[in-house]
């Protein structure tokens, strides 16, 4: 058996159905071997950035191992931004690349390099397999490492001659471990004591709640406590850990630590789950958490517990199991008075939630007559088109601005995907991967004009494999987030509305023609009703489509992440 056949057999045995890649000479044995197989489909991308980001979206949506095959050295270099995203997300990926023939490496040939040192900071484990006899163990180790919490990408370098070498190998497949490890009983009881005696508790919820399939358990805990539920900031807000339509949903944290501090000052206890506390964007003072606030933090990764802020109680364990245990213990121990007070808090939060919804709807209506469309009106128009089972991928942070959540337009919690690593080019390709994983659900990508240009080659993959994803491009002809950041940093030229290297003009990009050149049907709309109709039609269709909409170009002073 050849090394590459052993590799493919073992991947098939753990349920791998797709490999996302862009081949080079050192990957040719893999592509050649795949011609004889019907159980694994090779998905071609025109560049390594789309290949890895499509795999990322596919793995996140499918809750399975994603596999990418990249070209040696230079090809891996092209994909490094997307590897950083996957690392920040904790996506279980097996990223592979060919390597030069071992008999040639001493001569320092082309397309050869120390890829292990390159990827090590952004992977859980990385290896170059030097002996074919070690290949099965390396595959088992890689699969288990990627899928064991805290999940994340791993990397394997496979020399081209090892791929063709023959040996008698033990192909026993990997057996991923059961991740449901509950926190210690005593720590859970300590946490319950802190939570049930709080005067005004809040819950900070992050992406890993959705990825642990623990939303139902979190809702139960939130309702028992009568706690406000606040999502992580837009800088790390990748998945929905709590239903935006729930009356206890209190929006998201703002971008800056000073604003977080003000928002959190009214609470005396915070239950933190599924998020890094905190992962900020630009330095501000004071720190996000006010002094004296007691924190209970639950996470699978002990590194996250107490990393930046002291804890009252740290809970090491599976998010779903830990929240279920908390709900059970709260039900056992809360007094009648505590239950009544929690009910009063729920009533107050529901009223505040309705007021916030009404204010957001009013803000949309107030801007309906402005042209070009404002970001708020564009997102309000998209919201009217969304079916309940839609999946939404966002990489247009200054346009999306959590509007779909603030309008309670997202009716499911598993179908939201936002940026966490911030290497651009991810969004359009993540949406393609999500659509491939969920062929029976409509998938919408809202992708900024600047972001799209980092990964636009992915549109060809969508067209080639007839993946019916819908891409909306709000076009403001600039890197607007950088202008907002420059103002936030107080830079002198930014205060005068002067910016260098942040405008996509002279010439402006024609996204309709660009998409059509890659085989994707495209159109341009300018009116709210046109945008709603175009998105509705596309989401119900069976082909990929791009919709460009011009939006206002004046950068806002701040982003409304509340």
């Amino acid at each position: 058996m050849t090394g590459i056949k052993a590799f493919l057999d073992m991947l098939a045995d753990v349920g791998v159905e797709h490999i996302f890649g862009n081949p080079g000479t050192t990957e040719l044995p893999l592509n050649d071997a795949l011609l004889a197989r019907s159980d694994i489909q090779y998905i071609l991308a025109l560049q390594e950035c789309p290949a890895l980001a499509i795999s990322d979206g596919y793995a996140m949506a499918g809750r399975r191992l994603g596999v990418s095959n990249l070209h040696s050295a230079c090809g891996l270099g092209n994909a490094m931004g997307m590897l950083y995203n996957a690392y920040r997300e904790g996506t279980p990926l097996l990223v592979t690349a060919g390597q030069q023939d071992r008999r040639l490496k001493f001569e320092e040939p082309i397309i050869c390099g120390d890829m292990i040192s390159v990827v090590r900071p952004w992977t859980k484990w990385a290896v170059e397999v030097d002996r074919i006899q070690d290949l099965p163990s390396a595959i088992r180790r890689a699969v288990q490492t990627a899928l064991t919490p805290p999940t994340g990408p791993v990397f394997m370098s496979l020399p081209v001659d090892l791929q063709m070498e023959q040996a008698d190998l033990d192909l026993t497949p990997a057996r991923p471990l059961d991740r449901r490890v509950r926190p210690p009983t005593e720590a859970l009881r300590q946490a319950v004591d802190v939570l049930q005696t709080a005067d005004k508790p809040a819950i900070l919820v992050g992406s890993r709640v959705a990825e642990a399939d623990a939303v139902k358990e979190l809702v139960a805990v939130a309702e028992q406590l009568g706690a406000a539920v606040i999502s992580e900031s837009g800088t790390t807000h990748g998945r929905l850990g709590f239903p935006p339509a729930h009356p206890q949903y209190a929006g998201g944290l703002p971008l800056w630590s000073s604003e977080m501090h003000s928002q959190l000052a009214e609470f005396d206890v915070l239950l933190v789950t599924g998020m890094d506390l905190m992962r900020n964007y630009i330095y501000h003072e004071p720190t996000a958490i006010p002094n004296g606030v007691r924190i209970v933090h639950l996470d699978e990764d002990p590194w996250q517990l107490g990393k930046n802020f002291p804890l009252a109680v740290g809970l090491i364990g599976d998010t779903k199991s830990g929240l279920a245990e908390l709900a059970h213990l709260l039900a056992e121990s809360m007094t009648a008075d505590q239950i009544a007070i929690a009910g009063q808090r729920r009533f107050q939060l529901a009223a505040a939630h309705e007021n916030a919804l009404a204010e957001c709807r009013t803000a949309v209506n107030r801007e309906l007559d402005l042209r070009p469309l404002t970001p708020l009106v564009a997102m309000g128009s998209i919201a009217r088109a969304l079916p309940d089972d839609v999946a939404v991928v966002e990489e247009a942070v200054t346009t999306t601005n959590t509007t779909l959540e603030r309008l309670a337009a997202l009716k499911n919690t598993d179908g939201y995907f936002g940026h966490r690593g911030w290497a651009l080019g991810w969004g359009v390709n993540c949406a393609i991967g999500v659509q491939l994983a969920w062929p029976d659900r409509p998938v919408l990508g809202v992708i900024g004009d600047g972001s799209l240009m980092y990964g636009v080659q992915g549109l060809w993959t969508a067209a080639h494999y007839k993946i019916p994803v819908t891409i909306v491009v709000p076009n403001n002809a600039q890197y607007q987030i950088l202008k907002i950041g420059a103002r936030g940093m107080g830079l002198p030229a930014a205060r005068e509305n002067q910016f260098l290297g942040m405008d996509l003009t002279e010439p402006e990009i024609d996204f309709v023609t660009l998409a059509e050149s890659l085989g994707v049907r495209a159109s341009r709309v300018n009116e709210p009703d046109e945008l709603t109709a175009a998105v509705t039609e596309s989401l119900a269709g069976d082909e990929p489509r791009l919709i460009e909409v011009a939006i206002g170009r004046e950068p806002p002073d701040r982003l409304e992440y509340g």
Side-chain angles (χ1 to χ4, degrees):
M1 177 174 292
T2 64
I4 201 61
K5 185 178 187 305
F7 175 77
L8 294 172
D9 283 354
M10 292 187 70
L11 292 185
D13 284 341
V14 295
V16 172
E17 298 175 351
H18 297 86
I19 294 177
F20 305 88
N22 182 271
T25 310
T26 52
E27 294 71 47
L28 290 178
L30 179 139
N31 291 72
D32 187 77
L34 282 171
L35 286 170
R37 307 184 72 105
S38 60
D39 53 348
I40 299 178
Q41 182 186 18
Y42 186 85
I43 302 294
L44 173 64
L46 299 186
Q47 203 252 18
E48 289 84 358
C49 168
L52 192 51
I54 295 172
S55 180
D56 186 2
Y58 177 81
M60 283 195 289
R63 292 181 178 170
R64 61 171 67 188
L65 182 72
V67 180
S68 290
N69 183 247
L70 312 175
H71 190 29
S72 172
C74 47
L76 174 65
N78 287 337
M80 286 301 292
M82 300 305 104
L83 182 63
Y84 177 79
N85 286 343
Y87 177 70
R88 283 299 201 177
E89 296 156 355
T91 305
L93 295 183
L94 171 55
V95 182
T96 64
Q99 177 60 285
Q100 261 288 11
D101 194 306
R102 290 168 293 180
R103 296 165 296 185
L104 196 60
K105 284 181 67 177
F106 182 76
E107 299 180 16
E108 299 183 357
I110 62 169
I111 58 171
C112 183
D114 179 7
M115 293 184 288
I116 304 306
S117 296
V118 171
V119 303
R120 186 170 284 122
W122 298 340
T123 54
K124 288 186 67 181
W125 182 64
V127 66
E128 183 163 296
V129 183
D130 291 321
R131 296 193 324 136
I132 192 171
Q133 291 81 5
D134 295 330
L135 181 61
S137 292
I139 296 168
R140 285 189 289 266
R141 191 184 300 180
V143 171
Q144 180 172 308
T145 301
L147 292 171
T148 300
T151 59
V154 298
F155 177 79
M156 290 180 63
S157 169
L158 301 173
V160 64
D161 57 314
L162 180 139
Q163 297 176 48
M164 296 184 287
E165 186 178 351
Q166 295 187 356
D168 183 15
L169 302 172
D170 175 8
L171 302 188
T172 301
R175 298 283 184 246
L177 304 175
D178 188 337
R179 63 177 288 169
R180 304 299 183 193
V181 180
R182 60 187 295 282
T185 300
E186 183 56 32
L188 286 164
R189 293 193 182 280
Q190 292 173 6
V192 166
D193 182 62
V194 172
L195 293 170
Q196 70 183 4
T197 57
D199 291 327
K200 194 164 186 181
I203 299 174
L204 302 186
V205 57
S207 301
R208 291 193 289 276
V209 170
E211 290 162 341
D213 189 28
V215 175
K216 178 182 176 182
E217 289 76 9
L218 179 61
V219 169
V221 171
E223 291 177 349
Q224 286 172 295
L225 294 173
V229 181
I230 304 169
S231 69
E232 59 197 339
S233 171
T235 53
T236 54
H237 185 40
R239 307 295 301 275
L240 282 184
F242 197 79
H246 193 283
Q248 289 175 234
Y249 184 64
L253 287 170
L255 284 180
W256 318 130
S257 65
S258 54
E259 296 177 359
M260 294 180 194
H261 186 100
S262 298
Q263 181 178 358
L264 298 177
E266 64 177 293
F267 303 107
D268 62 333
V269 171
L270 299 175
L271 170 61
V272 182
T273 182
M275 66 176 284
D276 299 351
L277 190 70
M278 298 284 187
R279 196 195 299 169
N280 287 322
Y281 174 37
I282 293 174
Y283 181 79
H284 284 266
E285 293 181 346
T287 58
I289 308 295
N291 291 334
V293 176
R294 294 184 295 170
I295 300 172
V296 176
H297 194 168
L298 166 65
D299 205 281
E300 292 91 346
D301 184 2
W303 175 251
Q304 298 301 334
L305 302 180
K307 182 175 71 173
N308 295 320
F309 298 93
L311 303 181
V313 183
L315 298 172
I316 303 173
D318 173 62
T319 299
K320 185 180 182 74
S321 302
L323 289 170
E325 291 280 350
L326 284 177
H328 174 72
L329 292 174
L330 285 167
E332 283 187 341
S333 61
M334 286 181 70
T335 66
D337 286 345
Q338 290 169 343
I339 292 171
I341 293 171
Q344 294 171 7
R345 289 195 293 252
R346 286 197 301 271
F347 179 80
Q348 295 167 352
L349 288 167
H353 185 263
E354 283 299 317
N355 288 337
L357 280 176
E359 288 175 5
C360 193
R361 292 173 185 139
T362 299
V364 172
N365 292 332
R366 192 163 50 237
E367 298 178 3
L368 274 175
D369 294 332
L370 298 178
R371 297 295 181 274
L373 302 186
T374 66
L376 195 58
V377 171
M379 295 310 299
S381 303
I382 290 171
R384 295 198 302 272
L386 299 183
D388 288 354
D389 63 341
V390 72
V392 176
V393 179
E394 293 186 7
E395 193 182 40
V397 63
T398 59
T399 298
T400 56
N401 213 357
T402 66
T403 302
L404 297 181
E405 290 165 67
R406 291 186 286 132
L407 289 171
L410 300 175
K411 304 303 184 185
N412 68 84
T413 52
D414 67 336
Y416 175 82
F417 302 83
H419 226 187
R420 278 178 274 180
W422 291 72
L424 300 183
W426 170 87
V428 61
N429 296 294
C430 177
I432 294 167
V434 172
Q435 184 71 84
L436 188 63
W438 289 340
D440 297 326
R441 290 178 64 173
V443 176
L444 169 69
V446 185
I447 314 300
D449 49 343
S451 299
L452 181 64
M453 291 307 298
Y454 280 78
V456 70
Q457 305 96 324
L459 293 177
W460 180 91
T461 299
H464 182 74
Y465 295 99
K466 298 179 173 58
I467 301 171
V469 65
T470 297
I471 304 297
V472 172
V473 182
N475 186 356
N476 57 19
Q478 62 191 284
Y479 298 133
Q480 192 173 86
I481 186 64
L482 298 183
K483 294 182 178 180
I484 295 171
R487 286 177 172 176
M489 295 168 69
L491 299 179
R495 290 198 298 265
E496 302 299 323
N497 209 33
Q498 297 180 7
F499 306 96
L500 175 64
M502 301 180 199
D503 292 291
L504 308 182
T505 57
E506 299 179 354
E508 295 195 11
I509 301 164
D510 182 347
F511 289 99
V512 171
T513 301
L514 179 58
E516 290 175 341
S517 74
L518 293 167
V520 172
R521 187 160 72 97
S523 59
R524 185 176 291 109
V525 299
N526 297 295
E527 296 295 322
D529 291 343
E530 290 178 341
L531 180 55
T532 301
V535 172
T536 300
E537 177 188 358
S538 182
L539 290 176
D542 59 359
E543 63 177 342
R545 182 172 173 184
L546 182 141
I547 302 161
E548 180 185 354
V549 55
I551 58 172
R553 298 184 178 185
E554 178 60 31
D557 292 326
R558 66 187 302 274
L559 296 180
E560 296 293 337
Y561 270 95

